């Protein structure tokens, strides 16, 4: 009778209690049940974010590779990289009006664009919003933005699109170094290894062409572009922190306005000093210029807002995927006759460095936990001879205990640990 009471009590403790919230006696149990319910729904949500992330990464790779290829083609007949960078940055003016138009068309709540403008501008300051403050805040970012694109376009005049896209991936290594120094982020040995591999890949790219003048200049320009891009990202995180998509749209629109109002004179000066040459308006490849500006606009929108719909690692993966896309395009078009052993090794080293930089900060604890779990499951699936003998003895003791003893059965404890092995 004692055994039967013990069994009834053990099962009744797991049954739902009528009138309780999700069969929870205490707030701790309610939280645990809610977490279990979230865990059951979480795999579908994670799978959805993964699928969306793959689509976003594919679009990022296609837009960045397409922009690079169009820029490379446009620079053959129109050698004005700063005008191209200025023209592309001016397209950012379309972002915030596009956001407001989308809100008016898709949401039932109607708000005037000026109200959206004042609400989105609060991420700069809690005080009253001023247009002068917005332009002052965006001035350094606009200069870094235009300088990044200008150096990248200048590099395309000397090296191939494949090399440029591969070297630009080093900006993630520079972001880690600047974040470690400026933002006091966590030090990670694996990312230091990735930085060393990035430097080795840069040297190998220059060595692939025999350290000729054009190759060294092109590599230096791309590294400079990656450095300014990293400085932009770290400075944005330091001064502004994390912002939402609508605030990003306003900020990028302000960048385009500053670029149009205050950087136009630079392009005029370069033309007047014969540094850049502009052909007649009829001969300017406007289709290529507008195409690369549109692709760059799509790329920037996906980079800045992709983290809201998917994992940031998949967003970063889009830039990495542009390397094989550019490599296949260059080989197919005959721009590059072949990658060669040295260049292929350099690309592999740069890709490996980029993938190492995608590892999360707690990757070591996650790997150790998975390894421990794998070893534990392997030990349970392959019991030794001593365990088999012990199991037979326990089985005998179980039968004896089932007659009249109150000693709990080991088989019952194993059944509670593995619910899938329930017996009748």
């Amino acid at each position: 009778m004692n055994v039967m009471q013990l069994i009834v009590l053990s099962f009744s403790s797991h049954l739902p209690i009528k009138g309780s919230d999700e069969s929870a006696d205490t707030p701790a149990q309610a939280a645990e049940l809610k977490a279990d319910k979230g865990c059951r729904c979480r795999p579908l949500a994670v799978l959805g974010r993964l699928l969306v992330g793959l689509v976003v990464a594919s679009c990022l790779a296609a837009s960045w590779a397409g922009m690079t290829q169009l820029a490379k083609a446009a620079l053959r007949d129109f050698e004005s990289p700063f005008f191209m960078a200025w023209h592309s940055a001016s397209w950012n003016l379309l972002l915030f009006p596009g956001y407001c138009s989308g809100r008016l068309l898709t949401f039932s709540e109607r708000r005037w664009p000026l109200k959206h403008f004042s609400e989105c501008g609060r991420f700069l300051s809690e005080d009253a919003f001023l247009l002068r403050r917005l332009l002052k805040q965006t001035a350094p970012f606009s200069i870094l933005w235009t300088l990044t694109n200008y150096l990248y376009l200048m590099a395309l005049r000397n090296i191939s699109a494949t090399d440029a896209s591969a070297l630009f991936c080093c900006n993630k290594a520079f972001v880690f170094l600047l974040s470690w120094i400026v933002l006091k982020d966590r030090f990670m040995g694996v990312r230091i290894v990735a930085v060393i591999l990035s430097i080795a890949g840069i040297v190998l790219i220059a060595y692939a062409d025999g350290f000729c003048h054009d190759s060294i200049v092109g590599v230096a320009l791309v590294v400079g572009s990656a450095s300014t891009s990293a400085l932009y990202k770290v400075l944005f995180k330091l001064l502004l922190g994390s912002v939402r998509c609508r605030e990003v749209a306003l900020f990028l629109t302000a960048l385009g306005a500053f670029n149009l109002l205050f950087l136009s004179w630079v392009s005029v000066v370069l033309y007047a000093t014969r540094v850049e040459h502009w052909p007649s308006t009829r001969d300017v490849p406007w289709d290529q210029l507008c195409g690369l500006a549109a692709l760059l606009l799509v790329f920037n929108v996906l980079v800045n807002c992709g983290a809201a719909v998917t994992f940031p690692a998949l967003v970063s993966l889009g830039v990495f995927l542009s390397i094989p896309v550019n490599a296949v395009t260059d080989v197919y078009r005959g721009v590059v006759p072949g990658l060669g052993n040295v260049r292929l090794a350099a690309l592999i080293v740069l890709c490996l460095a980029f993938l190492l930089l995608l590892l999360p900060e707690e990757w070591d604890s996650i790997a150790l936990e998975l390894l421990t779990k794998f070893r534990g499951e392997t030990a349970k699936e392959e019991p030794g001879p001593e365990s088999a003998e012990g199991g037979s003895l326990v089985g005998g003791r179980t039968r004896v205990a089932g007659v009249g003893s109150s000693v709990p059965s080991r088989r019952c404890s194993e059944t509670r640990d593995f619910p899938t092995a329930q017996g009748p």
Side-chain angles (χ1 to χ4, degrees):
M1 189 65 183
N2 293 332
V3 176
M4 294 300 296
Q5 290 178 353
L6 187 63
I7 294 174
V8 170
L9 288 174
S10 64
F11 275 96
S12 63
S13 63
H14 296 285
L15 292 176
I17 299 175
K18 187 176 180 179
S20 63
D21 185 13
E22 299 239 349
S23 69
D25 294 332
T26 61
Q29 291 179 357
E32 185 177 356
L33 289 172
K34 187 176 180 181
D36 292 340
K37 185 176 179 181
C39 291
R40 289 194 296 267
C41 301
R42 189 177 180 183
L44 294 177
V46 171
L47 182 60
R49 288 175 69 89
L50 283 175
L51 294 177
V52 173
L54 292 177
V55 174
V56 171
S58 302
C59 295
L60 282 170
S63 60
W64 185 254
M67 185 277 298
T68 304
Q69 294 292 336
L70 283 177
K72 183 74 174 178
L75 286 169
R76 294 171 188 159
D77 302 324
F78 186 69
E79 297 183 358
S80 301
F82 187 86
F83 178 80
M84 293 170 62
W86 173 84
H87 175 262
S88 300
S90 300
W91 278 52
N92 288 333
L93 285 168
L94 302 175
L95 287 177
F96 191 73
Y99 166 78
C100 294
S101 301
R103 294 279 299 187
L104 289 174
L105 293 175
T106 57
F107 289 88
S108 58
E109 183 182 1
R110 300 290 189 267
R111 291 186 181 182
W112 291 103
L114 288 178
K115 191 172 183 180
H116 282 298
F117 192 81
S118 60
E119 289 180 356
C120 295
R122 291 177 183 173
F123 76 98
L124 295 175
S125 177
E126 295 295 334
D127 301 332
F129 177 77
L130 295 175
L131 182 61
R132 183 178 61 184
R133 182 187 299 117
L134 179 61
L135 293 177
K136 183 179 178 180
Q137 290 275 3
T138 56
F141 296 100
S142 180
I143 295 173
L144 290 174
W145 181 288
T146 306
L147 188 60
T148 298
N149 295 331
Y150 174 64
L151 293 176
Y152 188 81
L153 294 173
M154 284 282 291
L156 287 175
R157 301 168 61 181
N158 299 283
I159 59 177
S160 65
T162 304
D163 294 345
S165 60
L167 290 170
F168 189 78
C169 290
C170 295
N171 71 331
K172 200 164 186 65
F174 300 148
V175 167
F176 162 68
L177 290 177
L178 289 175
S179 300
W180 178 40
I181 297 173
V182 179
L183 302 179
K184 307 300 181 183
D185 284 357
R186 177 186 172 188
F187 175 81
M188 293 180 61
V190 67
R191 293 187 178 178
I192 291 295
V193 175
V195 171
I196 296 173
L197 290 177
S198 299
I199 297 173
I202 293 171
V203 176
L204 286 175
I205 288 289
Y207 175 73
D209 295 327
F211 290 107
C212 63
H213 179 267
D214 290 341
S215 178
I216 294 177
V217 172
V219 169
L221 289 172
V222 177
V223 172
S225 176
S227 302
T228 54
S229 175
L231 183 59
Y232 173 92
K233 294 178 180 179
V234 174
L235 190 64
F236 189 93
K237 187 176 181 181
L238 178 64
L239 298 180
L240 302 178
S242 59
V243 294
R244 291 174 289 184
C245 289
R246 63 177 188 176
E247 297 167 347
V248 170
L250 175 61
F251 187 77
L252 295 181
T253 302
L255 288 184
F258 184 90
N259 175 80
L260 185 65
L261 295 175
F262 299 103
L263 296 182
S264 302
W265 62 272
V266 179
S267 186
V268 176
V269 169
L270 292 177
Y271 172 74
T273 56
R274 303 296 180 182
V275 176
E276 294 187 355
H277 175 68
W278 298 352
S280 60
T281 307
R282 187 187 309 171
D283 297 332
V284 174
W286 291 110
D287 53 346
Q288 295 176 343
L289 295 182
C290 293
L292 73 91
L295 289 175
L296 187 60
L297 185 65
V298 171
F299 176 83
N300 289 318
V301 170
L302 292 176
V303 165
N304 288 281
C305 299
V309 295
T310 185
F311 302 102
L314 292 177
V315 177
S316 301
L317 194 64
V319 183
F320 166 76
L321 293 177
S322 67
I323 301 176
V325 174
N326 277 317
V328 172
T329 305
D330 286 345
V331 174
Y332 176 77
R333 296 177 57 191
V335 177
V336 178
L339 295 178
N341 295 330
V342 178
R343 180 171 276 104
L344 183 59
L347 294 179
I348 293 175
V349 168
L350 289 173
C351 292
L352 180 60
F354 188 83
L355 293 177
L356 288 177
L357 290 167
L358 291 181
L359 292 175
E361 292 185 355
E362 62 277 4
W363 72 274
D364 49 354
S365 58
I366 295 175
L368 184 61
E369 183 179 356
L370 291 176
L371 184 60
T372 304
K373 186 177 180 181
F374 176 76
R375 287 180 177 177
E377 291 179 354
T378 305
K380 290 178 181 178
E381 291 176 359
E382 299 179 358
E386 297 179 356
S387 300
E389 294 176 359
S392 63
L393 292 176
V394 171
R397 292 175 185 173
T398 302
R399 288 192 296 271
V400 174
V403 176
S405 176
S406 60
V407 179
S409 170
R410 183 173 179 181
R411 183 179 298 175
C412 294
S413 66
E414 291 178 355
T415 303
R416 289 196 300 271
D417 292 338
F418 301 96
T420 57
Q422 292 179 357

